[in-house]
Structure formats: C-alpha cells, structure tokens
Amino acid sequence: MAARALLSELPGYSKLQALAETLRAASIDRLFAEDPHRARDFTLAAAGLKLDYSKHLLTREALAGLLELARESRLQTDIESLFDGAHINNTEDRPALHTLLRASSSHGMDARFEQVVASRALMQQWSERLNDGRQTGFSGATITDVVNIGIGGSDLGPRLVSEALRPFHGNVGCHYVANVDPADLQDTLLELDPGSTLFIVCSKSFRTEETLTNSVAARNWLLNAGAVESDLHKHFLAVTSNLPAAAEFGIPAANCLPMWDWVGGRYSVWSAIGLSCAIAIGWARFEDFLAGARAMDEHFHGSPPEASMPLLLGLLEVWYSNFFDAGNHVVLPYDNGLQRLPDFLQQLTMESNGKGVSADGRALPYTTGPVLWGSAGTMGQHSFHQLLHQGTRLCPADFVLPLTTHTGMQEQHRRLVANCLAQSRTLMVGRSPEAARQTLLQRGLGEAEASRLAPHLAMSGNRPNSMITMDCVNPRTLGALLALYEHRTFCSARLWGINPFDQWGVELGKEIGTEILARLSGEAGSGAMDPSTERLMREWRDAACDD
Ligand code: F6P
C-alpha cells in the first residue's frame, strides 16, 4: 500500500502558504467591513455550544482552502474509522473507542457495548450507594468523602468535571490526589476522617508509581487510625484494566470497576474513571454529561466538513501552527469552575499530538502540536495578557464563555462577560500608533510626550481568537465541550498524519526514574550516570542524611 501523503505534500498546502502570506498583514477589522455577512456566517452551533470564529486571520477563500486540505488528507475517512472501531491506534494495534463510552447503542460493537453498559450499571450502583449513605467504614460511620487517587487521565478529567459541576454536587465530598509529592496526600487527608473516607484508586494500568505510592500511604493512614486489613474493602474501590494487580494490592474484584485497553487514559473520563464525578453529581446528571458528549459525537460524525465545529477548530489549529508559525495556543475560560480546563487540555492535546513522526514512522518535516496553556479569566488579564496584546509571539486564543452564572450574582457576572468580550475584541482591533497618540493628547499630554509614549500604547491587533459560548456550564454543555476538544485534537492529529492515541514519549523518563530511585535507595546501579545527575544524587543523599 502506498504511504499516505504528509500534509506538506498535499496540493492544497502550497496554495495555503501563498494565501497565508497575503493574510499575514491583513486587518481582521477590515475583513468584517468588506464582508457584511462575516459575523453571521463564521459561526456554528452544535450540542448546546456556539462557536464564533469570525475574529480570525481567515477569508472565505482561505477557509475553502483549508477544507480542501481536509478533503485531500482524507480526514472524513479517518473520522469513519474512529467511530467504526478500526485499529486507528496503529502503534498499539487497538481502536480508540471513547465515543462508545457515551453511546446509546452498540454501533455494531455488541460485545464492547455490553461491557460499557455493565460498567455504567456498576457506576450507578456505587454512586447511589454512597449518595444514599449506605456505605459505611470500619468504625460503622457513613462514608461522607471520596478521594480519587490517580494521575494524568485518571485525575485531570474527573477533577475538572467535579470542579466545573460543583453547583450540582450532592452531599458526598469529592477530593483528588495525584502528585507523588507526599504533601498532596497529606494536605488532602488533613481535613478528612479515616472512618468516613473512601478511596477510589483510578489507574488503567495499576502500575503507575504516583498512584500506587499514594494508595499505599492511604492504606497506612487507615490502618494507623484503627482499621484492620479485613476492613479495607469498605474504604477502597479501584478502576482498572489490571484486576490481578488490584487484587494484589488488596482490593477485591467486587470493588473493582473495569477499564479497557481500547480507551486512552486522557479520553477516559466517560468510563468508570469518572466514578468520583458520578458520585459527586449523582448518576442522572452523569448520564446528562454522557448525553452532552454524545450530542457532540453525532454532530461531528454527521456534519459536512464545513459545518463541523471540531473539524473547523482542528483546521484553525493547523492553520496557525503550520502557516503562521504559532507554537502555542491559549485557552481562556471565563468561568471559575472551568479553571482546570487548560490543565485537562494540556494532557489531551500535548500527549496526543506532541509527536515528531507520522503514524507510519516517518519524521515529520513540519511542526505539530502547539504548547497549550491558559487560565481562567479575569486573572490572566492582570498577568500574561500583556504578552497576548503586545508581545512578539502569535498566541491564537480560545475564549470559553458561559452566558449565565450559577451564583445568582448577575451584576457581577455582567462584569465578567464584559471583560471577556473586551479582551476578544481588543486582541482583534488593537490600537494604531496615531490612535494611541490622540488618546495621550486627550489625556492632556503635550505633543512631544504624546509622540514619545505612543509606540508603547500602540497595539497591532489582528490577534486571532475564537469565542465558544454556552447558556451555562451544566453536565450536558460540559460533556459537549470536552468532546469538542477531543475531536478537534483528533482532526489536527490526522491532518498532521499523527497517531494521537499512543504516548511512547513518557516511557523513557519512567525507566530512568526507576533507576535513579534505586540509586537513591542505596542500590548499586548499572553504571555511572552523567556527572550532573551523579552530583545531584549525592546532594540529595547528603541533605536526606542531615534530616
Ligand atoms: O504516563 C502517562 C500516562 O500513561 C497517561 O497517559 C495516563 O493518563 C497516566 O499515565 C495514568 O495512567 P494510569 O491510569 O495507567 O495510572
């Protein structure tokens, strides 16, 4: 079979390079003036979300060119393969079936769907048992708090969902421990009572150092508080695909919920990995969360390319990465509950698309996944937005804006919305040196001083940004939002020719970490390491001995 053409080998690529060249100096404001329907036509609605992509360095011609590129790269076929359960994760010879986790029917994958349905039933049982106060601990007290112990995909998704949906929480407290730094566990346990705390060990592999270390420490915390070994089943659940390892740790099969190799960690919040969320918000709302994602799946699967929100966002990511050299992408949720969204998206996008070879192992001659960063508005306005407005780097931005608040504080929320819209518009329009000079003159400065300061107040504008809005953050819109970014990541990956579902790049660090831990524990290693690492190990040993 002929090797698939890489993005830069497609006929549409060089055409887009030429178009990008002309757009580099374009004024987005002028694009609005020249095209009266731009604001109307460069918007899309799907699954309770709205995307306004009109404030981009994009003309109708460039958009058509990008859609042509998607066609040439056979993206639509890849989308079919994703939903059909083809082994699209080719380096691990597996499908990537996160969409089946939120499906309402089997889509021809009966055996797997039965597993999903059975797992949902288990999640529902545990969620209801905890919310009804039927689960008791070693002292006979009702379990009031759950602690999710996991890391990466076994932490970031559940933590984000739980925080974002806090207005929907019931009575069970929900906590998250991820870091192997003992302070993470210690700080969390400080506010908890061992008799009424249940741990959910979330680890697909049940081999992850941080999760196992924290789980052992949690077990010791219970034993030190008076629990005995035979009580531990009252305090531990596991979500894993490695039942023998969970059993060896002491978690009986009846307390284990399944995970499968056909779900990637960063795509797993829809599975039993999301159990802590299902407990926090209750089962019915967790089902709404799945339904929101399903609505986005249906939109993605069923829409023509030009009407597909994830596909357009993927094209825009490629547009700025490959044609404008933007090495980063900033995500700005104007909602305090969504402040973990950038963290979640970092793993989703950077573990998926931080790769330098194509799915068939060829070195890629172009840049791939950008650095994703961001934080909740308005905090960033008083720190890094300076760079967004006047820095020399291009930072394409996504604003995420719920139009209403759960707080009931409409007046204050209006301020938040005003800030968000102002930032989006300011990035686009900027301020010319002459406008800056006039502003200074109006403030009463003399001609000379106004001319001296004008370059410092001038802003180039034309800094592209998308606006994603929703009525409010609720289980459905949040499900749709996360699924939107999953599919956007997939589209970008396939345009770049990447397999987004493996993560071989994390392996070597783990291996060297094991070697260094052995050396720090006094074992002889297989040989000397580099002089810098040897010296740092000596320094740690000296400091630890002084303790
Ligand atoms: O080290 C990376 C990684 O494998 C992620 O892909 C994954 O989400 C995380 O570790 C946790 O893995 P596990 O669920 O197997 O503990």
Side-chain angles (χ1 to χ4, degrees):
M1 202 168 64
R4 180 179 170 140
L6 296 178
L7 187 70
S8 54
E9 295 163 355
L10 299 173
Y13 194 84
S14 50
K15 281 189 220 154
L16 281 167
Q17 277 177 319
L19 270 177
E21 210 41 58
T22 62
L23 278 168
R24 229 174 271 281
S27 148
I28 304 175
D29 213 15
R30 208 167 309 130
L31 295 179
F32 274 106
E34 288 164 5
D35 183 349
H37 298 305
R38 182 180 178 89
R40 182 196 67 191
D41 292 352
F42 283 42
T43 56
L44 275 179
L49 308 183
K50 261 191 172 174
L51 166 70
D52 178 337
Y53 61 100
S54 61
K55 295 193 186 82
H56 277 283
L57 288 163
L58 191 70
T59 54
R60 288 177 194 266
E61 190 186 6
L63 180 58
L66 285 166
L67 289 165
E68 177 60 15
L69 198 66
R71 202 190 55 73
E72 288 171 359
S73 74
R74 292 184 282 147
L75 184 52
Q76 216 55 41
T77 312
D78 288 334
I79 295 170
E80 291 305 323
S81 303
L82 175 74
F83 282 92
D84 285 354
H87 284 209
I88 196 146
N89 177 356
N90 67 315
T91 59
E92 296 178 312
D93 196 15
R94 300 167 185 165
L97 278 172
H98 39 289
T99 52
L100 194 65
L101 296 173
R102 54 233 188 184
S104 54
S105 61
S106 73
H107 297 274
M109 292 169 273
D110 293 352
R112 286 196 173 117
F113 191 60
E114 269 174 35
Q115 294 176 316
V116 169
V117 170
S119 168
R120 283 184 200 159
L122 281 177
M123 288 175 78
Q124 179 173 5
Q125 278 167 28
W126 281 107
S127 172
E128 289 174 353
R129 185 174 172 78
L130 281 148
N131 278 291
D132 293 351
R134 278 182 280 133
Q135 179 75 8
T136 51
F138 70 87
S139 63
T142 300
I143 297 292
T144 55
D145 291 88
V146 298
V147 181
N148 187 89
I149 302 183
I151 197 163
S154 299
D155 167 71
L156 292 164
R159 194 190 286 256
L160 163 65
V161 172
S162 172
E163 284 189 13
L165 298 180
R166 199 170 291 283
F168 299 88
H169 278 208
N171 294 327
V172 183
C174 218
H175 314 262
Y176 292 84
V177 171
N179 200 334
V180 77
D181 182 336
D184 193 6
L185 182 73
Q186 205 172 55
D187 290 352
T188 306
L189 297 186
L190 267 183
E191 42 179 288
L192 298 176
D193 172 0
S196 57
T197 300
L198 176 124
F199 295 94
I200 306 175
V201 184
C202 270
S203 178
K204 180 177 161 182
S205 61
F206 220 91
R207 274 198 288 264
T208 304
E209 181 192 8
E210 292 88 341
T211 302
L212 296 187
T213 307
N214 279 321
S215 300
V216 169
R219 187 170 57 188
N220 291 339
W221 180 68
L222 290 167
L223 294 174
N224 290 337
V228 294
E229 290 283 346
S230 58
D231 291 324
L232 291 179
H233 71 278
K234 299 175 184 161
H235 292 270
F236 274 100
L237 300 179
V239 182
T240 187
S241 62
N242 188 352
L243 287 177
E248 201 179 315
F249 178 85
I251 304 179
N255 287 23
C256 290
L257 290 87
M259 248 297 260
W260 309 278
D261 67 0
W262 41 270
V263 179
R266 52 197 175 275
Y267 300 87
S268 67
V269 64
W270 324 100
S271 73
I273 292 288
L275 179 62
S276 59
C277 311
I279 292 168
I281 62 175
W283 181 250
R285 288 181 178 134
F286 192 81
E287 281 194 312
D288 284 345
F289 173 63
L290 299 181
R294 183 160 66 243
M296 183 53 73
D297 293 342
E298 285 162 5
H299 162 76
F300 180 49
H301 198 183
S303 301
E306 65 278 10
S308 165
M309 200 183 281
L311 194 148
L312 280 175
L313 287 177
L315 286 172
L316 284 170
E317 185 175 30
V318 169
W319 179 231
Y320 291 116
S321 294
N322 298 75
F323 300 94
F324 290 84
D325 288 333
N328 76 102
H329 184 88
V330 61
V331 176
L332 304 166
Y334 273 65
D335 181 277
N336 218 43
L338 290 176
Q339 59 183 299
R340 303 267 179 187
L341 182 65
D343 296 357
F344 169 79
L345 294 179
Q346 271 179 346
Q347 188 200 13
L348 175 64
T349 63
M350 291 161 76
E351 202 170 69
S352 296
N353 289 344
K355 292 166 191 166
V357 294
S358 65
D360 58 6
R362 283 173 290 167
L364 294 172
Y366 40 74
T367 54
T368 59
V371 173
L372 188 143
W373 59 293
S375 80
T378 62
M379 273 92 81
Q381 290 173 213
H382 299 275
S383 74
F384 58 78
H385 280 225
Q386 165 64 36
L387 183 145
L388 298 184
H389 290 295
Q390 285 190 314
T392 53
R393 291 170 200 285
L394 180 65
C395 307
D398 286 356
F399 289 91
V400 180
L401 177 66
L403 299 174
T404 60
T405 174
H406 292 287
T407 61
M409 298 166 76
Q410 304 303 340
E411 173 54 33
Q412 191 161 335
H413 189 252
R414 189 180 308 151
R415 288 176 187 276
L416 179 73
V417 175
N419 272 280
C420 178
L421 300 186
Q423 290 298 309
S424 161
R425 174 168 161 75
T426 307
L427 284 169
M428 179 189 80
V429 293
R431 173 160 57 189
S432 70
E434 178 51 22
R437 203 178 68 83
Q438 290 300 334
T439 303
L440 290 164
L441 288 173
Q442 278 161 19
R443 284 184 198 163
L445 271 69
E447 282 286 353
E449 193 59 356
S451 298
R452 185 177 77 81
L453 289 180
H456 299 280
L457 270 72
M459 294 154 81
S460 67
N462 296 314
R463 295 175 182 239
N465 63 85
S466 299
M467 180 70 67
I468 298 169
T469 55
M470 64 206 76
D471 277 348
C472 65
V473 177
N474 62 33
R476 274 180 195 261
T477 53
L478 183 65
L481 182 69
L482 302 193
L484 168 67
Y485 276 103
E486 284 181 351
H487 294 320
R488 164 194 184 263
T489 303
F490 178 72
C491 289
S492 306
R494 299 314 295 152
L495 289 161
W496 285 317
I498 285 173
N499 170 11
F501 299 116
D502 60 15
Q503 59 282 321
W504 300 101
V506 302
E507 297 300 329
L508 182 57
K510 289 182 189 174
E511 285 166 30
I512 295 180
T514 307
E515 234 179 287
I516 291 183
L517 180 62
R519 292 284 305 280
L520 294 180
S521 311
E523 292 168 28
S526 54
M529 296 191 180
D530 64 275
S532 162
T533 308
E534 287 290 344
R535 182 178 51 74
L536 289 164
M537 286 195 290
R538 267 198 312 278
E539 278 178 14
W540 178 81
R541 273 195 294 265
D542 293 347
C545 290
D546 290 347
D547 263 358

